[in-house]
Amino acid sequence: MSAAPAIGGLIEAIEPPEYRGVARDSVRMLVSDRRGRSHTHARFYDLPSLLRAGDLLVVNDSATMPAALPGRRIDGSAVPLHVSTKIDSRLWIVEPRKAVKAGEVLALPGGAAATMLAAVDALRPRLWYAALAVDAPLERYLDAHGSPITYRYLRRSFPIADYQTIFARRPGSAEMPSAARPFTERVVTRLRARGVEFGAVTLHCGVASFEAPERPGSERFVVPVETAVQVNAARREARRVIAVGTTVVRALESAATEEGVVASAGWTDLFIDSAYEPRAFDALLSGFHAAGATHLDMLRSFADAGLLEAAYAEAAAHGYFCHEFGDVHFIC
């Protein structure tokens, strides 16, 4: 079995589970019962036996783009570029992986170019507004010239198909909404046969930073009318709404009001931490996150710090994997 040094006791997943002989839906799943304060071990394919008729699973249907590009300065030196968030057809938020200056132009494959306009945050100039000059819609350009964003804990790059979930419909994420990655046709079929319902939102994930944990940036999201109706009906009828991933939590909570979830589309800069009181979901499927990640702040709004610490200690003791190709945590 492939392994890497542990983070917070968890093992870094340096490749998709299929590359270590584990099917997508066979990754491990720790089940944390908030009321009983217990932790049990399962496989993801056991999920249908843990849900009941009427439960509503809300998934993110954003598809992952091959958002990493090889950029070059005018002197020919390399500046890898991560395309993060679409503002309009030409203006994007990007992450140059080396220091840049306002006005600097990076040459991109196929005769394209990226002009660095201004740092999104002058005090932390990691993300930049950039004008991208390409001959085709950027999504199509990335399909031709880009590759998936990878981080240094990964053994190597992998095909874009490894970064798509079964629910991916709408291209726009720089990084995979990975909590849904273990779902397969056979698991979905079994869930539907059990009477579990599905709803979808869209939240396009921007780039994350594993060098220095920080608050998430603004992200584009859509909660359609049908999903708002499903969520409100489930909560009115005391059926569980299960958010599949922190991206779904952010989208639903951005659309939540005192009267329920309303159909919404636009940008969210909602930051959810332990002081936040969730209003739109009752259980959560999540990956395992590195110590210090802001994803953990979001989890603490739903599960208290003691429960999470015990869960992560249990997962670490049993060799669970973290990051986007890791194992799964069901908090119910």
Side-chain angles (χ1 to χ4, degrees):
M1 177 181 292
S2 301
I7 288 187
L10 297 172
I11 301 171
E12 292 190 285
I14 61 176
E15 59 193 354
E18 301 93 303
Y19 291 72
R20 59 179 189 263
V22 178
R24 274 195 184 220
D25 59 12
S26 297
V27 296
R28 283 171 294 182
M29 179 170 63
L30 185 71
V31 182
S32 294
D33 183 335
R34 292 185 300 155
R35 188 169 299 175
R37 304 194 70 80
S38 63
H39 309 282
T40 56
H41 301 276
R43 294 282 177 175
F44 186 78
Y45 54 63
D46 296 318
L47 183 64
S49 67
L50 300 174
L51 303 188
R52 50 184 178 260
D55 282 345
L56 173 64
L57 281 166
V58 183
V59 303
N60 186 357
D61 65 7
S62 179
T64 309
M65 304 182 299
L69 290 168
R72 292 201 171 274
R73 302 185 200 271
I74 194 169
D75 64 4
S77 60
V79 182
L81 190 71
H82 292 173
V83 176
S84 176
T85 305
K86 181 178 182 178
I87 307 297
D88 61 34
S89 59
R90 287 179 57 84
L91 182 63
W92 287 68
I93 294 174
V94 302
E95 182 192 28
R97 299 294 286 177
K98 294 182 180 179
V100 295
K101 297 178 180 179
E104 187 168 4
V105 178
L106 300 180
L108 301 175
T115 302
M116 301 298 112
L117 301 177
V120 174
D121 181 348
L123 296 178
R124 303 187 69 181
R126 181 176 71 88
L127 300 178
W128 282 72
Y129 293 109
L132 300 180
V134 297
D135 291 336
L138 189 64
E139 292 87 347
R140 197 163 73 218
Y141 172 82
L142 291 175
D143 285 341
H145 299 286
S147 59
I149 290 175
T150 60
Y151 290 100
R152 56 191 175 193
Y153 56 80
L154 291 175
R155 164 175 289 174
R156 59 177 179 84
S157 61
F158 298 97
I160 190 64
D162 288 336
Y163 292 83
Q164 305 294 6
T165 75
I166 193 175
F167 306 110
R169 299 289 184 275
R170 306 178 193 280
S173 281
E175 296 182 356
M176 174 175 53
S178 56
R181 191 182 190 277
F183 281 89
T184 59
E185 290 287 357
R186 70 170 177 171
V187 170
V188 169
T189 298
R190 289 178 57 209
L191 286 165
R192 292 192 186 281
R194 195 168 178 82
V196 173
E197 300 178 7
F198 285 83
V201 299
T202 305
L203 186 138
H204 295 313
C205 310
V207 297
S209 173
F210 293 97
E211 291 88 358
E214 58 190 356
R215 292 165 68 109
S218 297
E219 293 172 315
R220 194 185 296 272
F221 81 104
V222 178
V223 176
V225 171
E226 316 87 80
T227 303
V229 169
Q230 286 180 291
V231 170
N232 293 332
R235 292 182 67 77
R236 186 171 59 248
E237 297 162 9
R239 296 183 283 113
R240 291 187 299 180
V241 176
I242 302 163
V244 180
T246 56
T247 62
V248 171
V249 170
R250 198 181 199 201
L252 287 179
E253 294 297 331
S254 296
T257 69
E258 293 295 334
E259 290 73 39
V261 171
V262 297
S264 306
W267 293 88
T268 178
D269 58 3
L270 178 64
F271 179 63
I272 299 175
D273 61 13
S274 59
Y276 186 89
E277 186 69 32
R279 297 187 285 183
F281 68 102
D282 307 289
L284 172 64
L285 268 167
S286 180
F288 283 96
H289 307 290
T294 53
H295 299 84
L296 291 173
D297 291 324
M298 180 181 287
L299 295 187
R300 292 186 188 101
S301 73
F302 180 65
D304 64 81
L307 183 74
L308 281 177
E309 288 173 8
Y312 271 62
E314 181 73 12
H318 288 81
Y320 276 59
F321 288 86
C322 65
H323 296 322
E324 67 267 40
F325 295 131
D327 294 312
V328 182
H329 191 192
F330 181 33
I331 309 173
C332 56

